[in-house]
Amino acid sequence: MKILLYIFIIALVVSCKHSTPSDKHTSVADAGGFEYRQLSPEEKAQYAAAVQRMYDSMLGKHGFNGSILVAKNGQVLFEDYHGYSNLHTKDSITPTTPFHLASTSKTFTGMAIMKLYEEKKLNLDDSLQVFFPQFPYSGITVRMLLSHRSGLPNYVYFMPADPEWKHKLATNNDMLQFMIDKKPALYSYPNRGFHYCNTNYALLALIVEKVAGQTFPEYLSNTIFSPLGMKNTFVFSIKDSANYHPSYQYNNRPFNLEPMDCVYGDKNVYSTARDMLLWDKAIYSNRIVSQATYEEATQPNSNERPSMHNYGLGWRLMIMPNATKIVYHNGWWHGNNTCFTRLVADTATIIILGNKFNKGIYAGMKIGTIFNNSKKTEVEKTEE
């Protein structure tokens, strides 16, 4: 009898440890400890149906070739993988198919710099001569690169205009040396206004390399991708050029590898929708930088002209009339175009990645209108 009583008590204790309350969960924590309010099955179903309708009208029935994932409170509401990763071989797109993020890559470059800043390994107001003593333009700081206020010209225009770089692949260091040797004219004086420019982020990638003592692809892999479990995310560089996979124009014509395609920092992160959700969750849970550093990165830096659109330090910003802040970054490089939108007030995320140009991808931000705090979401006119 004593043995049976003992077994009964053990069974009761074990069952209590594994039981769940009769009422619904109110929150659930992600791997970083951030607590989301758990959606009820009814909420999740309603949101999913609303996303499906908008997806069908904007993309699903209009030649979309890519992946989409919409999440709220850390839970996936909707995802779809549509079309081919290679239009010639007809290889289907799957959840593990990586896409070129184009300028959405800048979110990783910006946060890498902010991490090094938080670790006191650089100062945002350091001049570029601290890192590149021969750099021919004075008065430009790291912060100006991050906020696109440097006034530098865009390498994607000035390098291909030179006969030497019409047919050979350039690297970030090639771009830097070109600027040192040939001093292309500035677009404007430093810090006079916002001018979106890929040169800024290609230089930031070189600063990461100088400060961290690793290549930029290694640093992102070691510091962000691997720790977050982003197993299908990497930085494409010149050593990967033999494995280049083309993107496509709207008429299915492929883009061949071009001279500026191996410069990284401004572009060249490849990722999946599911990996990008891990990136989004890591930002909420402050796994890469602290909340204070993230807040600094998402403050408007260009206020010369009143507008709901602005730019932080690696992030585009939309400040709604009700003061709600949407943090996002789109991208466009060749046939690749992307949408990564963080509806912070709604704890919701919209991720759309495509390898066949489709302007409907940028309209994907409108999906945010199904959430309470983002009903007046507007599409950014600038495609990056």
Side-chain angles (χ1 to χ4, degrees), residues 69-353:
L69 186 152
V70 180
K72 171 151 175 69
N73 296 12
Q75 297 175 253
V76 175
L77 301 176
F78 177 86
E79 63 181 320
D80 189 39
Y81 302 90
H82 194 273
Y84 303 106
S85 60
N86 186 308
L87 296 183
H88 176 68
T89 61
K90 303 300 182 184
D91 295 328
S92 296
I93 291 169
T94 73
T96 60
T97 301
F99 287 82
H100 191 305
L101 298 184
S103 283
T104 301
S105 303
K106 291 180 173 72
T107 67
F108 292 101
T109 308
M111 293 295 264
I113 290 288
M114 296 305 289
K115 181 173 177 61
L116 293 170
Y117 158 67
E118 186 173 273
E119 294 170 346
K120 301 188 184 306
K121 295 178 180 178
L122 58 78
N123 192 307
L124 297 185
D125 295 315
D126 284 338
S127 74
L128 296 199
Q129 281 72 25
V130 170
F131 312 99
F132 317 119
Q134 294 181 294
F135 196 69
Y137 311 98
S138 60
I140 299 173
T141 66
V142 174
R143 189 187 303 272
M144 292 176 201
L145 297 182
L146 285 166
S147 59
H148 292 293
R149 297 180 62 85
S150 68
L152 289 170
N154 200 327
Y155 80 88
V156 302
Y157 303 126
F158 66 69
M159 284 191 76
D162 188 292
E164 181 183 355
W165 292 102
K166 284 187 179 295
H167 303 292
K168 66 177 182 177
L169 298 175
T171 66
N172 292 58
N173 281 308
D174 291 328
M175 181 205 72
L176 174 62
Q177 195 60 48
F178 186 104
M179 298 179 79
I180 292 170
D181 294 341
K182 302 197 175 183
K183 304 176 182 60
L186 287 169
Y187 177 85
S188 70
Y189 288 112
N191 209 29
R192 292 293 179 89
F194 173 83
H195 168 57
Y196 189 87
C197 177
N198 289 310
T199 307
N200 295 323
Y201 277 73
L203 288 171
L204 287 168
L206 288 176
I207 290 174
V208 169
E209 294 183 339
K210 288 271 187 179
V211 173
Q214 305 174 56
T215 68
F216 184 71
E218 288 170 342
Y219 181 81
L220 288 194
S221 178
N222 295 336
T223 308
I224 298 178
F225 305 153
S226 292
L228 299 184
M230 300 173 68
K231 296 180 180 179
N232 297 294
T233 303
F234 61 92
V235 178
F236 181 89
S237 68
I238 197 165
K239 69 179 180 61
D240 306 305
S241 58
N243 298 316
Y244 171 75
H245 293 283
S247 58
Y248 301 88
Q249 300 180 40
Y250 66 92
N251 61 2
N252 294 345
R253 182 179 177 183
F255 284 90
N256 295 321
L257 191 67
E258 296 181 358
M260 301 299 111
D261 282 347
C262 294
V263 177
Y264 47 61
D266 58 320
K267 59 185 185 307
N268 273 10
V269 173
Y270 280 70
S271 191
T272 67
R274 290 182 179 179
D275 276 5
M276 290 300 287
L277 180 60
L278 294 176
W279 175 227
D280 177 68
K281 289 182 176 181
I283 296 168
Y284 278 116
S285 57
N286 308 127
R287 292 186 64 189
I288 302 301
V289 299
S290 68
Q291 185 63 25
T293 299
Y294 168 76
E295 291 294 338
E296 185 169 359
T298 55
Q299 291 301 308
N301 274 260
S302 297
N303 300 305
E304 292 86 4
R305 298 177 181 178
S307 172
M308 66 187 295
H309 300 291
N310 213 300
Y311 204 95
L313 305 177
W315 296 97
R316 285 194 180 274
L317 308 172
M318 186 184 298
I319 315 298
M320 309 290 282
N322 64 359
T324 296
K325 183 191 295 182
I326 294 173
V327 180
Y328 71 105
H329 216 300
N330 293 338
W332 179 15
W333 185 256
H334 299 336
N336 309 287
N337 58 319
T338 57
C339 166
F340 179 50
T341 302
R342 307 186 71 241
L343 305 163
V344 180
D346 291 292
T347 331
T349 309
I350 303 164
I351 302 162
I352 310 176
L353 314 176

